[in-house]
Amino acid sequence: MTAPTTPRPEPVADWMLAAVAFVVGLVVIGGSLLANDGDITGLIKFGAEDEALEITRHVEDLMGREIATVPPLGHDGKFFFLQALDPLYLSPADHATLLDRPVYRGQRMLFPLVAGAGGLMPVGWLSWSIAFTNLAAIALGTVGTARLARRAGASRWWGLAFALNIGVIFEFDISGAGILAFAAAIWGTLALEERRDRSAAGWFTVAVLSREVMFLYLAGALALRLVRTRRVPWRIGIPPTIAAGTWAVYLRLRLDAGSGVDQVQEFGGPFVGMSQAFGNWVDNPVDLAVIVALLAIIPLLVIRAVRQPTYLGWGALGFVVLAVFFSRQVWWRFFDVSRAIAPVITAYLLATFATPGSDRTADGDRVSEPSDARADAAATV
């Protein structure tokens, strides 16, 4: 007589993870609605003072009503809103002239292109479209992260390291493009691990067209592929480069602009931004606590990425390098720097807690795929 076996728990389904991610996004949307008397434009962060009023009044004229604002200058969402009105810059004089740095903003083209339905979205619906685009992106990133965790032998619930990443949440709160960019990079990473190079190239193309600094993530991930296979992964790196380069040329022709290098204000000398922002951290305990925590996990991620290399960890190392050169305006508040290094936060959580080496997830779902390192090694034989 055989002993009764304990039934294995069902693995966490994608829809369950997506549902939790939706809840996180809906909390952000709901909080904005409550703070702005039910006006969804509050999520866009239009400015209420100084030069920001030009954009605010322009949008109010288009919508035929007053819109919600935040003092003093608002945040990035207002620029993506303008871009979404004409994402292909077919009539740059209508909206793009109001962008503070047209070439710099314009390089991040995919998020406003999607949210604005190619420029066809009615202006009255656009704020909602932007919100639901980010809602879909946070769910997409969470499911992709869960699949990475499962491959590492951990619970799929660690996919919430994407949705509950404070940088991702703050990015949602300002209607930025970083969530879509990071979600696409996560799926590109998953494709790399599964040796689906064409799919990886496609996802990384989405990532760099959403946020150009994702090239650093791509460079780190491909560096690990090169180390493992001793082959330059041209098929993965070339398509995103061609796509971003083609758009860069088109953008500059449409705007009749120069290189746009002078429009980048987010970078400076190594550690200069940190030193200039230090006084503000001391005066604001919350900023100090969060930024100290972020600074603590950066070297820990580097150590783990060296000891247990993964594509996610090596991709995030690009943002470690970037953090050294961030300017004062990025390091000034934890709100901004956490958004800027969001991949570091998720990568650290997975590297620390979703550890490799187990053949069974915490969900009870056996992982039968070979590890990526073994797959890469086999590919070189």
Side-chain angles (χ1 to χ4, degrees), residues 79 108 110 292-293 295 318 342:
F79 300 119
R108 303 176 178 190
L110 196 61
V292 166
L295 290 173

Side-chain angles (χ1 to χ4, degrees), residues 51-348:
E51 63 269 22
L53 283 174
E54 188 175 10
I55 293 177
T56 301
R57 288 168 179 160
H58 176 69
V59 174
E60 286 179 336
D61 288 342
L62 293 174
M63 298 185 72
R65 67 175 180 88
E66 291 186 356
I67 58 177
T69 59
V70 294
L73 302 178
H75 221 299
D76 290 358
K78 64 184 181 184
F79 300 119
F80 287 114
F81 189 98
L82 283 181
Q83 290 173 252
L85 293 170
D86 182 23
L88 297 177
Y89 295 84
L90 301 179
S91 302
D94 292 341
H95 310 293
T97 53
L98 295 177
L99 296 172
D100 61 339
R101 294 175 284 167
V103 173
Y104 172 79
R105 302 289 179 188
Q107 193 63 45
R108 303 176 178 190
M109 56 81 71
L110 196 61
F111 178 70
L113 182 69
V114 173
L120 300 177
M121 184 66 63
V123 66
W125 299 355
L126 185 53
S127 297
W128 284 106
S129 179
I130 289 173
F132 281 103
T133 298
N134 266 338
L135 199 61
I138 198 172
L140 182 70
T142 299
V143 171
T145 304
R147 294 188 179 188
L148 286 175
R150 178 181 180 274
R151 287 183 61 85
S155 169
R156 286 166 58 90
W157 284 115
W158 282 110
L160 296 179
F162 186 97
L164 298 179
N165 181 325
I166 61 170
V168 169
I169 292 172
F170 288 143
E171 187 75 2
F172 201 122
D173 188 54
I174 66 156
S175 298
I179 304 175
L180 178 59
F182 187 23
I186 287 289
W187 281 86
T189 303
L190 185 64
L192 273 178
E193 291 196 351
E194 295 175 350
R195 303 288 298 179
R196 295 182 290 111
D197 289 0
R198 290 183 181 179
S199 180
W203 281 113
F204 282 122
T205 298
V206 172
V208 301
L209 288 177
S210 300
R211 190 178 177 211
E212 73 286 353
V213 294
M214 295 310 293
F215 267 118
L216 291 174
Y217 185 104
L218 175 61
L222 294 189
L224 180 57
R225 170 62 71 85
L226 175 62
V227 168
R228 287 177 169 174
T229 66
R230 300 296 188 269
R231 297 177 182 176
V232 179
W234 298 111
R235 291 190 303 173
I236 303 172
I238 287 180
T241 303
I242 291 176
T246 301
W247 174 256
V249 172
Y250 171 82
L251 178 67
R252 284 155 178 78
L253 291 175
R254 295 302 304 169
L255 295 177
D256 191 23
S259 65
V261 174
D262 58 327
Q263 297 182 13
V264 179
Q265 302 170 358
E266 286 71 20
F267 306 109
F271 302 105
V272 172
M274 293 184 197
S275 63
Q276 291 177 340
F278 181 76
N280 184 65
W281 305 346
V282 174
D283 294 336
N284 296 276
V286 175
D287 285 283
L288 180 62
V290 176
I291 291 175
V292 166
L294 293 176
L295 290 173
I297 70 173
I298 286 176
L300 294 175
L301 173 64
V302 173
I303 292 170
R304 292 186 179 277
V306 172
R307 290 180 176 176
Q308 297 178 337
T310 64
Y311 289 125
L312 176 62
W314 277 49
L317 289 181
F319 287 83
V320 171
V321 175
L322 199 64
V324 172
F325 295 94
F326 280 145
S327 65
R328 170 181 173 273
Q329 72 184 58
V330 179
W331 278 107
W332 190 251
R333 301 298 301 270
F334 77 91
F335 174 90
D336 285 316
V337 72
S338 62
R339 295 187 304 109
I341 64 168
V344 171
I345 300 171
T346 296
Y348 170 74

